């Protein structure tokens, strides 16, 4: 439809939808901003249109259309943000692309109630091919869905192949036809598996490319370079020069120095100093900013004007200093992104790339680390120094390193996207103190961990210890450590406790094959060290064989034979060699009544033949796909001898075993995940009525919202959109459903709660028991007494009226009155194991399914397992077996095993419920009595809460913390 033919009625100025604004990454790694078009954009629209080629204008309007009339400009800048919406992509305050939809009815006429809309795009020729239209389509589709539109229609000339491809590649369900020389496209806006996959793939490519641009600049400028050798700017320039020198004589990359106070002709370390980056004659890809915080905005503005692609902001004085600093930090990010730049920092330690073709040291590290396979990310400069020093001390190489300080823009998620594509990175090491987007981290890390190990130290584990300055949404500040563990477990991330353990584990994963199982052979020349290693294996959940003691007189040949036997054994998955200095040699001779000290020249020496035997065994271990590692005491030379052969050596058996246990767990996750990709499924379940459940949720939330009107309803122009505003009103109703309503909602998903009837007096109790049928239970349900049988609030096995009356009188007297205790009668459940099932929507992570055994195991010991929703059949099977008390479900000490099949089905139903109905904030089923045949749900509580305006399933957008 030609926009010029569509009349639009006048209306009052609508509310501006601020939440539609978003920063985005384009295909080439550059940034831009998407926002609604307003009347104030008239000048920008005209300027934009003048930069569009005649061909692109023809493709848009199907006729020559050289310029926009005043009427056109008004039409394209005045929108009601419901039936007519226009969005623009903006870089440096200039439009580079626009999109518009108009709501239509079934006959294609303008409408205020239809569920279809006509959509059209226009992209400046200079920016075509950057993924601009694809990003606009995602955002305009999300806006349309928010406004009750379910389908887009578009008419495209066949010659406009780029736009046809934008629509066809998006992954939506489409219908395509051709008539009168025009391609007519219709596609539903409901996200599909294909559309989400396309969106994630584009996100991955754009974020990986943006990091690559930061790591491989052709030219770098240091803003704040000074002749004073003690300044940060001078140190950064010096470190950059050292890094660039590693590129060799043929390296044609350029380094520039900038200092606004430098006299003409100034040089620093042989580099001419410019007073402004705008004075540099050539392009600058990366700017390292080390000027005072007050001078940063002007420096960023100059960088944007010069076309810089990325910034490393070392300057401090931002969010780590308080609320004013946080405002400055947000302004910095907005300013940089608006100019198409990404930001490392502020308060950053810097960025390192050891690629021989692009060596870069844009950091405060005095030298480039040696080249290797570790990709390192951290949020602390001090920890960054420790990580680099530890890698150097161990002789381990680094591929790339980023210490991002306040993490206001570029985050660990961006680096993970890059490392997934980087062939030089074999193992990822992370030091995290906070999450900006935990849900996205889980998704990206799971994909990466399927190919490369990720080892993490998580600092700030306790609520309230979040470091100052970190850009974290309010929903993620109280992320429970148990939730973090579940997140890591499901994503295949290996969590360790210390920096030492980080490298212990990373080194093993980098240098040795993944263990095929948990069976461990221990071989060495010390019976005591072997036993310590054996005990450590048992404590770590491994299955060690009896240690093989070669005695302290063992030779290299003894080691070679024993290691060969252990490696060839089909019942062994990994081998730990243990070694001490040979007793009785000069290395440990008694001298003057004392053992030789660490300064004695012979102390810590070893037998070269033992080292040779270990190196030979290491080659054989790789051939067999089994890891070989060494635990030693007082042998300082042996680890150095083994380093060329890639055999990790640990100066304590506990460290070796912990590293191996992490490797075993990760290898098991890899195998399990690979199988699950082929076999795991979310089974089809009967007795599910999503429509009825949705209506019940909408009704419950609408009842509360009706009592508290929201300004958002000013945009509500039809009943088709009323439920949306009800469910998404920010800060809206949060309600706990009455027990009867909760049971009714759960019943729509085949979850049957054992009915209860109130028993405020004896006669009511007798009538309730007669209705339900004996035997019954009498219990208190008041909040302070619910699930507290230890307070005597439950009477079981009541088989007749006399017993029921007596129990009622007892509880009435014990609990301060039947009405206050809220006594109810419930049919007695079969005997079994009491369990607890829950599902909670964590705003930062999403829905989490939980399982534990009722009472002390879950409440006192925290013996609860978690999985992210949606859960598969294999997820729930693992969930019930993961808790430490799981043997009680499977016939512990001769008891009859319970019906775990029924339990797994119930978990799948709860998972399906919270996945289908994101307004369900929590479900608690307690207790769930699992019997040998079937189960009974004796208590249920359901809470509802409004949806956030956007979710992780929404269009691609950068963080706006």
């Amino acid at each position: 439809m030609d926009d010029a033919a569509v009349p639009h009625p006048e209306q009052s100025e609508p509310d501006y939808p601020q939440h539609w604004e978003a920063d985005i990454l384009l295909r080439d790694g550059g940034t831009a901003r998407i926002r609604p078009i307003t009347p104030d954009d008239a000048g920008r629209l005209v300027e934009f249109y003048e930069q569009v080629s005649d061909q692109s204008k023809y493709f848009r309007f199907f006729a020559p259309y050289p310029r926009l009339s005043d009427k056109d400009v008004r039409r394209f800048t005045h929108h009601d943000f419901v039936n007519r919406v226009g969005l623009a992509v903006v870089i440096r305050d200039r439009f580079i692309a626009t999109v518009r939809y108009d709501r239509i009815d079934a006959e294609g006429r303008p409408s205020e109630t239809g569920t279809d809309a006509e959509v059209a795009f226009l992209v400046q020729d200079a920016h075509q091919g950057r993924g601009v239209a694809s990003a606009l389509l995602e955002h305009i589709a999300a806006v349309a869905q928010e406004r009750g539109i379910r389908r887009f229609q578009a008419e495209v000339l066949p010659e406009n192949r780029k736009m046809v491809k934008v629509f066809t590649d998006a992954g939506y369900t489409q219908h395509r036809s051709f008539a009168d020389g025009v391609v007519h496209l219709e596609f539903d806006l409901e996200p599909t598996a294909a559309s989400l996959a396309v969106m994630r793939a584009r996100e991955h490519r754009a974020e990986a490319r943006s990091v690559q641009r930061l790591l491989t600049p052709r030219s770098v400028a240091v803003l704040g370079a000074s002749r004073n050798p003690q300044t940060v700017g001078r140190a950064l320039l010096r470190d950059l020069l050292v890094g660039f020198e590693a590129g060799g004589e043929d390296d044609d990359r350029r380094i520039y120095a900038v200092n606004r106070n430098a006299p003409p002709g100034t040089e620093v370390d042989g580099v001419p100093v410019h007073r402004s980056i705008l004075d540099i004659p050539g392009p600058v890809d990366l700017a390292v900013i080390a000027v005072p915080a007050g001078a940063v905005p002007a420096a960023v503005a100059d960088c944007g004007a010069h076309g810089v692609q990325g910034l490393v902001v070392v300057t401090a004085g931002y969010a780590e200093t308080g609320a004013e600093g946080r405002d400055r930090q947000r302004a910095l990010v907005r300013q940089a992104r608006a100019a198409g730049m990404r930001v490392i920092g502020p308060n950053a330690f810097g960025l390192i790339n050891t690629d021989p073709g692009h060596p870069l040291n844009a950091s405060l590290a005095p030298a480039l680390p040696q080249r290797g396979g570790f990709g390192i990310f951290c949020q602390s400069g001090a920890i960054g120094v420790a990580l680099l020093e530890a890698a150097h001390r161990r002789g381990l190489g680094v591929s790339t390193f980023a210490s991002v300080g306040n993490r206001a823009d570029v985050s660990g998620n961006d680096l993970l996207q890059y490392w997934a594509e980087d062939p030089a990175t074999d193992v990822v090491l992370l030091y995290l103190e906070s999450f900006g987007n935990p849900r996205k981290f889980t998704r990206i890390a799971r994909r990466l961990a399927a190919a490369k190990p990720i080892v993490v130290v998580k600092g700030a584990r306790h609520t309230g210890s979040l470091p100052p300055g970190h850009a974290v949404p309010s929903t993620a500040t109280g992320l429970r450590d148990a939730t973090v563990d579940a997140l890591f477990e499901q994503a295949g991330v290996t969590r360790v406790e210390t920096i030492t353990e980080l490298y212990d584990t990373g080194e093993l994963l980098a240098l040795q094959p993944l263990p095929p199982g948990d069976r461990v052979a221990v071989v060495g020349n010390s019976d005591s060290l072997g036993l310590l290693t054996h005990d450590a294996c048992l404590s770590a959940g491994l299955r060690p064989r009896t240690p093989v003691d070669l005695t302290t007189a063992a030779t290299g040949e003894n080691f070679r034979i024993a290691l060969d036997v252990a490696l060839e054994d089909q019942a062994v998955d990994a081998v730990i060699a243990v070694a001490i200095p040979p007793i009785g040699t000069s290395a440990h001779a008694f001298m003057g009544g004392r053992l030789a000290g660490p300064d004695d020249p012979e102390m810590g020496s070893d037998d070269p033949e033992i080292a040779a035997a270990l190196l030979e065994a290491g080659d054989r271990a790789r051939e067999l796909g089994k890891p070989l590692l060494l635990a030693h005491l007082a042998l300082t030379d042996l680890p150095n001898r083994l380093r060329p052969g890639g055999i990790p050596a640990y100066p304590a058996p506990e460290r070796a075993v912990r590293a191996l246990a992490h490797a075993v767990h990760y290898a098991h996750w890899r195998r399990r995940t690979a199988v699950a990709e082929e076999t795991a499924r979310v089974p089809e379940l009967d007795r599910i009525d999503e429509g009825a459940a949705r209506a019940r949720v909408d009704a419950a939330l609408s009842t509360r919202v009706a009592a508290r009107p929201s300004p958002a309803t000013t945009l509500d122009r039809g009943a088709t959109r009323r439920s949306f505003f009800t469910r998404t009103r920010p800060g809206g109703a949060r309600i706990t459903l009455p027990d009867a309503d909760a049971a009714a909602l759960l019943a729509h998903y085949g979850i049957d709660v054992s009915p209860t009837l109130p028993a405020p007096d004896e006669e009511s109790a007798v009538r309730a028991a007669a209705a339900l049928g004996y035997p019954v239970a009498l219990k208190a349900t008041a909040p302070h007494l619910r699930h507290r049988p230890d307070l005597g609030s439950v009477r079981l096995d009541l088989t007749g009226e006399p017993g029921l009356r007596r129990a009622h009188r007892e509880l009435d007297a014990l609990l301060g009155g039947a009405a206050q205790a809220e006594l109810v009668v419930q049919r007695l459940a079969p005997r079994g194991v009491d369990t607890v099932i829950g599902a909670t929507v964590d705003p930062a992570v999403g829905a989490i399914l939980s399982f534990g055994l009722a009472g002390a195991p879950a409440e006192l010991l925290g013996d609860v397992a978690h999985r992210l929703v949606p859960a598969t059949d294999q997820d729930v099977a693992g969930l019930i077996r993961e808790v430490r008390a799981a043997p009680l479900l499977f016939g512990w000490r001769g008891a009859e095993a319970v019906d775990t099949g029924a339990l797994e089905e119930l978990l799948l139903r709860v998972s399906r419920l919270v996945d289908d109905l994101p307004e369900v904030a929590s479900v608690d089923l307690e207790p769930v009595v699992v019997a040998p045949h079937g189960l009974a749900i004796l208590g249920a509580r359901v809470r509802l809460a409004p949806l956030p305006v956007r979710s992780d399933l929404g269009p691609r957008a950068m963080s706006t913390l």
Side-chain angles (χ1 to χ4, degrees):
M1 181 187 300
D2 186 346
D3 284 317
V6 180
H8 298 303
E10 296 295 325
Q11 67 165 57
S12 61
E13 191 70 23
D15 293 336
Y16 180 79
Q18 184 75 36
H19 65 278
W20 292 352
E21 293 190 3
D23 293 323
I24 60 169
L25 272 175
L26 302 177
R27 182 180 299 158
D28 60 4
T31 63
R33 187 161 185 81
I34 290 180
R35 64 168 177 81
I37 299 173
T38 69
D40 293 338
D41 292 318
R44 295 182 184 87
L45 182 66
V46 171
E47 180 188 24
F48 157 73
Y49 196 76
E50 290 173 350
Q51 302 299 317
V52 176
S53 69
D54 290 340
Q55 183 185 52
S56 293
K57 293 173 182 175
Y58 182 83
F59 284 160
R60 170 64 175 85
F61 294 104
F62 298 1
Y65 217 89
R67 65 186 57 84
L68 297 176
S69 67
D70 291 345
K71 184 178 180 181
D72 293 328
V73 172
R74 177 174 177 79
R75 181 182 310 116
F76 293 141
T77 57
H78 286 68
H79 305 96
D80 64 5
F81 301 131
V82 177
N83 303 311
R84 300 185 311 282
V85 173
L87 302 180
V89 180
V90 185
I91 297 179
R92 299 187 184 95
D93 203 34
R94 290 184 171 90
F95 285 6
I96 67 165
T98 62
V99 66
R100 172 187 171 92
Y101 82 64
D102 291 86
R103 189 189 299 269
I104 57 176
D105 61 17
E107 283 72 40
R109 296 173 301 199
S111 170
E112 293 191 354
T113 59
T115 58
D116 281 22
E118 197 169 61
V119 65
F121 295 77
L122 186 59
V123 180
Q124 267 184 10
D125 297 68
H127 295 278
Q128 292 178 10
R130 301 185 68 195
V132 177
S134 299
L136 268 178
L137 177 57
E138 292 176 17
H139 283 262
I140 197 69
V143 167
Q145 278 198 295
E146 184 176 320
R147 295 309 190 221
I149 292 171
R150 299 291 171 257
R151 182 170 59 179
F152 272 163
Q153 298 184 25
E155 292 185 342
V156 185
L157 292 174
E159 308 96 285
N160 193 359
R161 296 184 181 89
K162 290 182 180 179
M163 188 52 62
V164 172
K165 185 174 175 59
V166 167
F167 290 124
T168 57
D169 287 355
Y172 295 107
T173 302
Q174 298 185 12
H175 307 280
R176 183 172 176 176
S177 59
F178 182 80
D180 299 326
V182 175
V183 177
H184 184 79
L185 295 166
E186 297 181 2
F187 50 95
D188 299 333
L189 300 184
E190 185 68 25
T192 66
S195 69
L196 290 175
V198 169
M199 190 188 310
R200 300 307 183 215
R202 288 171 174 165
E203 172 192 70
H204 168 70
R205 288 192 298 268
E207 292 177 355
R209 175 60 180 150
S210 74
V211 173
Q212 183 186 39
R213 295 205 316 179
L214 292 167
L215 288 168
T216 58
R218 301 301 306 169
S219 53
V220 183
V222 178
L223 281 66
S226 167
R227 287 178 294 181
N228 183 348
Q230 304 303 316
T231 61
V232 171
R234 179 68 175 276
L236 287 164
L237 180 64
R238 190 167 49 243
D239 297 341
L240 269 168
L241 287 168
V242 171
F244 271 39
E245 286 173 1
E249 295 181 358
D250 296 332
D251 193 339
D252 60 352
R253 296 176 299 161
R254 303 294 300 273
I255 295 178
Y256 302 99
V258 177
N259 189 313
R260 64 182 180 180
N261 299 317
T266 302
E267 288 191 359
V268 176
D269 293 327
V271 178
V273 180
H274 301 269
R275 293 178 65 87
S276 168
I277 196 171
L278 297 173
D279 297 336
I280 296 175
V284 176
D285 296 332
L286 180 68
V288 183
I289 297 180
V291 301
V296 169
V300 173
D302 288 347
C303 289
H306 196 66
V308 173
Q309 296 179 352
L311 308 174
V312 176
V313 182
V314 179
T315 305
Y318 287 88
E320 76 278 7
T321 65
E324 290 185 6
R326 183 171 295 280
D327 290 341
R328 287 195 298 272
Q329 182 168 298
R330 289 170 175 159
L332 164 66
V333 173
R334 285 196 301 269
Q335 183 184 14
R337 288 177 178 174
M341 299 180 292
R342 298 219 67 183
V343 179
I344 297 283
N347 195 25
F349 183 79
L351 202 60
I352 292 176
N353 183 7
T354 63
D355 182 355
H358 304 277
L360 174 72
N361 185 9
S363 79
L364 293 170
L368 274 176
Q370 72 181 58
R371 180 70 167 166
F374 286 103
I376 302 176
F377 173 89
C378 65
Q379 296 170 300
S380 161
I383 298 297
V385 172
L387 290 170
L388 291 173
E389 190 278 331
H392 173 74
R393 180 166 31 86
R394 289 171 174 253
L396 301 174
V398 175
S399 62
T400 43
F401 167 90
S403 179
V404 300
N406 292 2
R407 189 181 43 75
D409 179 24
V410 174
S411 71
N413 289 344
D414 297 295
L415 271 296
L416 292 178
Q417 300 277 37
Y418 170 76
W419 284 322
E421 301 297 321
D422 180 28
T425 300
D426 302 317
V427 176
V428 171
L429 305 182
L430 306 177
Y431 172 76
L432 302 179
E433 294 173 342
S434 61
F435 290 97
N437 188 337
R439 196 178 313 188
K440 182 176 178 180
F441 173 87
T442 305
R443 171 168 49 82
I444 298 171
R446 182 179 176 87
R447 185 184 67 244
L448 175 58
K452 301 178 182 182
I454 304 172
V455 189
V456 175
V457 173
K458 174 65 171 68
R461 338 179 27 138
H462 303 291
T463 302
S465 60
L466 187 69
H470 282 219
V472 176
S474 59
T475 54
T477 56
L479 203 60
R480 295 180 304 162
D481 207 52
T483 302
V484 174
D485 279 336
L487 181 154
F488 285 157
E489 173 65 29
Q490 202 141 349
V493 172
T494 300
R495 182 174 186 173
V496 298
E497 300 299 321
T498 65
I499 298 297
T500 298
E501 193 177 355
L502 181 78
Y503 272 111
D504 283 348
T505 305
E507 184 176 7
L508 177 60
L509 290 168
L511 300 179
Q512 291 290 308
L514 290 177
D518 59 359
R519 301 167 300 177
V520 182
V522 180
V523 177
N525 65 354
S526 169
D527 180 47
S528 298
L529 192 56
L531 289 174
L532 287 173
T533 305
H534 180 273
D535 290 347
C537 287
L538 290 172
S539 298
L542 303 177
R543 293 188 291 164
R545 302 182 65 180
T546 302
V548 176
D549 178 25
L550 304 177
T551 77
T552 57
T555 65
E557 180 65 13
N558 298 140
F559 267 91
R560 187 190 65 77
I561 294 172
L563 290 171
D564 187 62
V565 170
L567 288 168
E568 296 291 343
D569 192 332
Q570 297 298 311
V572 170
D573 300 311
V575 176
I576 301 177
V578 298
I580 62 171
I583 299 298
T585 68
S586 59
H588 275 77
F590 278 98
M591 296 182 293
R594 66 173 179 84
L595 199 60
D599 295 330
D600 295 318
E602 296 295 327
M603 183 63 182
S605 66
D606 60 81
D607 186 344
E609 292 185 4
I610 293 178
L614 286 165
L615 289 170
E616 181 181 337
D619 293 337
R620 182 58 179 155
R622 284 188 183 81
E623 294 175 4
L624 296 171
K626 300 178 181 181
L628 171 66
L629 53 160
L630 171 71
H632 68 94
L633 293 180
L635 289 172
T636 56
D637 294 338
L638 186 56
N640 294 329
R641 296 182 189 273
L642 299 181
R643 188 168 294 156
I647 299 176
Y650 303 94
E654 298 81 9
R655 287 175 56 180
V657 170
R658 278 197 299 269
L660 179 60
H662 288 310
V664 167
H665 187 78
Y666 171 66
H668 177 67
W669 179 88
R670 284 265 294 258
R671 291 190 297 269
R672 188 178 72 240
T673 302
V675 172
E677 292 291 335
E678 301 295 330
T679 61
R681 61 191 182 93
V682 178
E684 289 296 324
L685 300 169
D686 60 358
R687 299 173 56 216
I688 288 182
D689 189 344
E690 182 181 347
R694 159 66 57 211
R696 188 174 291 276
V697 168
D698 286 349
L701 290 174
S702 297
T703 300
R704 181 64 60 90
V705 170
R708 298 173 58 192
S710 166
T713 56
T714 60
L715 297 181
D716 181 3
R717 297 192 175 200
T720 58
R721 297 186 299 284
R722 232 173 241 122
S723 66
F724 172 82
F725 291 116
T726 295
R727 290 155 39 212
T728 62
R729 189 171 72 84
R734 294 177 179 274
I735 61 174
T736 299
L737 292 180
D739 289 351
D741 291 346
L745 176 61
L746 293 169
H748 291 312
Y749 275 77
I751 301 170
D752 299 318
V753 181
S754 182
T756 60
L757 295 176
D761 52 57
E762 280 189 39
E763 299 307 321
S764 298
V766 170
R767 289 194 298 271
L772 294 172
Y774 287 99
V776 296
L778 181 68
K779 62 182 184 180
T781 61
H784 65 290
L785 297 171
R786 186 184 288 258
H787 310 311
R788 293 298 306 273
D790 56 307
L791 299 179
S793 60
V794 179
R795 294 292 185 270
L796 303 175
D797 293 317
L798 304 175
T799 58
E801 182 177 331
L804 175 59
R805 289 183 180 275
R806 183 170 57 255
H808 195 281
R809 289 192 295 270
E810 291 174 357
L811 291 183
D812 183 76
L814 177 66
L815 303 177
Q820 180 178 341
E822 298 180 22
L823 295 182
V824 298
V825 174
Q826 189 172 45
R827 184 168 177 78
L828 191 69
R831 293 193 178 276
V833 178
D834 288 2
T835 65
V836 182
I837 291 174
T840 303
V841 177
D842 188 303
V845 178
I848 299 172
L849 186 66
S850 304
F851 171 78
L853 268 63
E859 296 176 17
L860 182 61
L861 303 178
D863 188 17
V864 180
H866 308 275
R867 289 292 184 276
L868 299 182
V869 169
T872 68
D873 53 353
Q874 294 185 17
D875 286 332
V876 298
L879 187 65
I880 66 173
R881 290 162 175 81
E882 188 173 305
V883 295
R884 295 188 297 277
L888 294 173
L889 302 171
F890 297 95
W892 187 60
R893 289 188 173 180
E896 188 174 2
V898 301
D899 191 347
T900 55
L903 183 59
E904 291 172 12
E905 180 181 326
L906 176 58
L907 285 162
L908 286 169
R909 290 183 181 276
V910 174
S911 171
R912 174 76 180 273
L913 168 69
V914 296
D915 193 41
D916 286 350
L917 306 174
E919 303 87 355
V920 176
S922 66
V923 175
D924 295 296
L925 306 181
E926 182 181 4
V928 178
V929 182
V930 190
H933 302 285
L935 54 77
I937 303 169
L938 303 186
R941 178 159 293 190
V942 177
R943 293 185 69 244
L944 303 181
L947 285 170
V949 175
R950 291 284 174 86
S951 74
D952 194 48
L953 299 180
R956 289 172 286 159
M958 301 170 72
S959 170
T960 55
L961 301 173

